Amino acid sequence: MEKSIKITRNPYEEPNHINLIFRASNGASSGQLEIYDIADRLKELADILENFPFKSTKTFLWELGSEKTEDNFAFYFKCEFSLIKHSSICVIRIRLNNNRDEIEKSISEFSIQCYPAELNLLGQLFREFSKFEKETLTWSGLKGKVE
């Protein structure tokens, strides 16, 4: 298995809100989580990643929900895009927590190593995906598609 991100859009209160099934793998570890977000987030991701890290942004955090019990969120989602200092390597740090109890609990945490050109392609895919014309975004480094 290779590094990959697959996002499936379930039509939901668009164009303001989105419901996504987010799946990711680094080849050794993987995880999946259903998330809800504002629809503009897809364009924001496109804007950041298409030129990453060549503008002022060297780290971008896409974070939703909370893991704190007292916050009472249905899930916690973190996807952090960073440039590793003093290198030309990027990392996508992912943490997925469904915040369920005991036997239904699912937590995944891992990193995906990549290069700026691969993140730039992911940004282009987010731009296409943000049009809400197609339901699936698939990325695996220098390959990807929206269909």
Side-chain angles (χ1 to χ4, degrees), residues 12-146:
Y12 173 82
E13 294 187 8
E14 293 165 2
N16 299 315
H17 298 93
I18 50 175
N19 171 226
L20 306 172
I21 305 297
F22 181 93
R23 295 177 184 92
S25 174
N26 65 5
S29 298
S30 64
Q32 173 180 309
L33 188 66
E34 180 176 14
I35 62 174
Y36 294 83
D37 202 355
I38 57 170
D40 287 343
R41 178 83 64 211
L42 300 176
K43 291 177 187 165
E44 180 183 14
L45 286 160
D47 290 342
I48 295 292
L49 297 177
E50 282 179 326
N51 297 302
F52 193 90
F54 305 109
K55 293 197 176 177
S56 61
T57 303
K58 304 291 185 221
T59 297
F60 181 77
L61 180 61
W62 180 16
E63 185 176 39
L64 301 165
S66 172
E67 292 185 289
K68 295 177 185 175
T69 306
E70 61 272 16
D71 291 343
N72 198 30
F73 273 92
F75 63 86
Y76 176 70
F77 170 85
K78 181 178 89 171
C79 189
E80 180 181 358
F81 305 90
S82 301
L83 178 67
I84 297 174
K85 283 188 175 190
H86 309 295
S87 78
S88 61
I89 297 173
C90 298
V91 64
I92 305 170
R93 292 180 185 90
I94 296 171
R95 182 165 174 88
L96 311 171
N97 183 342
N98 69 356
N99 284 347
R100 301 251 174 98
D101 290 328
E102 300 186 22
I103 61 172
E104 294 181 343
K105 183 173 249 351
S106 177
I107 299 173
S108 301
E109 185 170 25
F110 54 92
S111 296
I112 301 173
Q113 183 177 314
C114 57
Y115 294 98
E118 294 172 313
L119 285 184
N120 301 153
L121 173 61
L122 182 56
Q124 293 167 13
L125 295 171
F126 273 117
R127 174 98 41 226
E128 181 66 25
F129 196 55
S130 72
K131 296 176 184 174
F132 302 122
E133 295 169 354
K134 301 186 178 164
E135 294 183 4
T136 306
L137 179 157
T138 306
W139 171 88
S140 58
L142 289 174
K143 295 182 278 182
K145 60 185 173 183
V146 175

